[in-house]
């Protein structure tokens, strides 16, 4: 545009009149090349050139450069600076119309040019607003993507924790039962071969069940596979089977379930099952032969209370803190349903585990 305007001046002006129009045209147009880098500086330069033009009483088509500079200020600066620039341009329009408008025709050109100034300003402000909106949308999209990635990482960490708890419970329980059954089979192999055979078959069944539980915990089985239908998630109805397994391993166990448990979610029932399983496994590992265990489950509309007690002495009852991840894992499971787990020696002897799960807890779904 500057070259075209300069060419227009050179072809429409006499040679002796060229220096001032060419200089003013260059001052009004050339700075526009840097208008996006320094909009205020360019606007001030163009406005100063327009003032010199007015003082020299020279009319030039390059005055349109002032509108371009105003648009750039409106598109890249704040409201206050845009308002100041608009007032300056409007003042220039008033001075130009007062000097160069024909007699009696001041109002039409003033209104027309003023409307152009307003339109240019509005267009610039709209461009700035649109750009800011798009930037905000892009920033929000980036933030949402970052938050989604963080949530995905948290979900992965929670899933790893869940799988770790499941694997600990499965491996600890089943290995403890298999060790106890193996010891019993070794002791009975000479006196009662039939009983030893039965115990070895029980060891085989326990191993298969452990493999099934491990595959389920790792999420390898698909829901359409037969194993998924034959081996649903353990719940309150499987506690009797668990008790029979413990009795076979040498720990006489009684289970008492009070209240209707049909409304309890499957994840909560799995939590209760794992708590009881871990408590009985600890009893099997740490108590002598002859110890008995009792499991009491009380179900209500909002809570499930779990009590597991045994009659045998525990090493930790003498004051040494329990080792391993069993009790911390049980605490984590109970905490997922807003419960606090208590584990320790009972006043009348033996060891007890107590907790109460709140079914309305929002964290329970992640257990």
């Amino acid at each position: 545009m500057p070259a075209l305007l300069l060419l227009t001046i050179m072809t429409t002006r006499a040679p002796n009149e060229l220096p001032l129009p060419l200089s003013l045209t260059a001052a009004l147009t050339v700075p526009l090349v840097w208008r996006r880098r320094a909009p205020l500086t360019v606007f001030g330069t163009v406005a100063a050139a327009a003032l010199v033009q007015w003082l020299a009483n020279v009319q030039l088509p390059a005055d349109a450069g002032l509108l371009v500079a105003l648009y750039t200020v409106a598109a890249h600066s704040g409201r206050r600076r845009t308002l100041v620039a608009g007032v300056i341009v409007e003042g220039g329009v008033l001075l130009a119309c007062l000097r160069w408008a024909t007699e009696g025709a001041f109002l039409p050109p003033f209104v027309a040019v003023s409307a152009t100034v307003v339109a240019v300003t509005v267009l610039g402000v709209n461009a700035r607003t649109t750009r800011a909106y798009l930037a905000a949308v892009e920033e929000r999209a980036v933030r949402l993507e970052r938050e989604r990635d963080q949530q995905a990482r948290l979900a992965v960490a929670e899933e790893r924790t869940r799988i770790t708890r499941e694997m600990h419970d499965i491996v600890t329980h089943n290995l403890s039962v298999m060790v106890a059954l193996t010891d019993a089979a070794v002791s009975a192999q000479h006196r009662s071969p039939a009983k030893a055979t039965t115990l070895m078959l029980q060891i085989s069944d326990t191993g298969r069940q452990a493999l099934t539980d491990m595959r389920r915990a790792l999420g390898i089985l698909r829901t359409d596979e037969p194993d998924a239908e034959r081996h649903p998630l353990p719940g309150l109805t499987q506690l009797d089977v668990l008790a029979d397994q413990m009795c076979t391993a040498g720990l006489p166990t009684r289970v008492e379930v009070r209240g209707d448990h049909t409304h309890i979610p499957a994840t909560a029932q799995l939590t209760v099952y794992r708590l009881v399983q871990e408590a009985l496994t600890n009893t099997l590992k740490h108590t002598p032969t002859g110890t008995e265990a009792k499991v009491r489950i009380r179900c209500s509309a909002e809570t499930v209370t779990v009590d597991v007690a045994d009659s045998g002495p525990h090493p930790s009852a003498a004051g040494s803190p329990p080792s391993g991840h069993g009790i911390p894992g049980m605490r984590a499971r109970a905490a997922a349903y807003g419960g606090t787990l208590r584990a320790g020696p009972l006043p009348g002897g033996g060891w007890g585990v107590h907790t109460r799960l709140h079914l309305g807890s929002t964290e329970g779904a992640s257990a």
Side-chain angles (χ1 to χ4, degrees):
M1 185 178 72
L4 181 60
L5 291 174
L6 290 173
L7 182 61
T8 301
I9 294 299
M10 294 177 65
T11 56
T12 57
R13 302 272 180 167
N16 59 340
E17 299 177 353
L18 287 178
L20 183 58
L22 286 176
S23 301
L24 292 174
T25 299
L28 288 168
T29 57
V30 173
L32 296 177
V33 177
W34 298 278
R35 65 186 185 277
R36 290 188 178 87
R37 296 182 181 178
L40 294 177
T41 302
V42 170
F43 176 80
T45 303
V46 175
L51 178 60
V52 173
Q53 173 200 355
W54 183 83
L55 294 174
N57 195 19
V58 178
Q59 297 187 53
L60 297 171
D63 288 334
L66 192 59
L67 296 176
V68 176
L70 174 62
Y71 171 86
T72 306
V73 171
H76 295 85
S77 301
R79 293 183 179 180
R80 181 175 299 178
R81 293 178 178 178
T82 300
L83 180 60
V84 172
V87 170
I88 292 174
V89 174
E90 187 63 23
V93 171
L94 178 61
L95 293 177
C97 290
L98 288 175
R99 169 164 287 186
W100 293 315
T102 58
E103 293 292 337
F106 166 79
L107 191 58
F110 176 76
V111 172
V113 179
S114 297
T116 303
V117 171
V118 172
V120 167
T121 305
V122 170
L123 288 174
V125 171
N126 286 341
R128 185 183 74 239
T129 303
T130 301
R131 188 168 57 252
Y133 172 76
L134 293 177
V137 170
E138 183 178 0
E139 180 184 358
R140 183 172 181 270
V142 172
R143 185 175 67 254
L144 290 176
E145 183 177 1
R146 184 167 57 249
E147 291 177 354
R148 185 174 64 250
D149 293 340
Q150 292 175 349
Q151 291 174 356
R153 287 193 293 270
L154 290 175
V156 170
E158 291 177 357
E159 183 66 10
R160 287 177 177 174
T161 302
R162 184 192 68 81
I163 292 176
T164 300
R165 289 200 303 262
E166 289 292 318
M167 296 298 292
H168 172 270
D169 292 346
I170 292 169
V171 173
T172 302
H173 168 74
N174 288 287
L175 285 181
S176 298
V177 172
M178 292 171 71
V179 169
L181 291 174
T182 302
D183 292 340
V186 171
S187 300
Q189 63 178 338
H190 298 298
R191 300 192 313 271
S192 178
K195 181 178 180 181
T197 300
T198 301
L199 291 172
M200 294 301 294
L201 291 175
Q202 182 67 33
I203 293 172
S204 178
D205 291 339
T206 302
R208 292 191 185 95
Q209 181 63 40
L211 291 175
T212 299
D213 291 344
M214 289 173 64
R215 287 197 298 267
R216 186 194 300 115
L218 294 173
I220 296 177
L221 290 179
R222 299 196 304 268
T223 56
D224 57 347
E225 290 186 351
D227 271 349
E229 298 178 0
R230 291 200 304 266
H231 302 283
L233 290 176
L236 297 182
T237 56
Q238 280 74 42
L239 289 177
D240 289 334
V241 177
L242 177 63
D244 292 340
Q245 188 181 47
M246 301 307 294
C247 290
T248 304
L251 177 65
T253 303
R254 291 184 299 159
V255 176
E256 177 184 309
V257 180
R258 295 183 180 179
D260 182 19
H261 62 269
T262 57
H263 67 284
I264 300 176
T267 53
Q269 293 198 35
L270 175 62
T271 297
V272 173
Y273 182 90
R274 293 303 185 202
L275 290 173
V276 174
Q277 183 185 57
E278 178 65 24
L280 293 177
T281 301
N282 288 338
T283 298
L284 181 65
K285 290 193 300 182
H286 300 302
T287 58
T289 304
T291 300
E292 297 181 354
K294 183 176 182 180
V295 179
R296 289 184 297 177
I297 310 294
R298 295 189 295 275
C299 306
S300 65
E302 298 295 334
T303 63
V304 179
T305 304
V306 181
D307 285 289
V308 182
D310 63 62
S311 60
H314 284 249
S316 56
S320 60
S323 60
H325 301 282
I327 292 181
M330 296 168 69
R331 295 189 193 279
R333 288 184 181 276
Y337 280 90
T340 301
L341 184 133
R342 297 197 306 269
L346 299 174
W351 186 271
V353 173
H354 170 84
T355 187
R356 177 174 295 172
L357 308 183
H358 300 274
L359 302 181
S361 173
T362 57
E363 300 179 11
S366 64

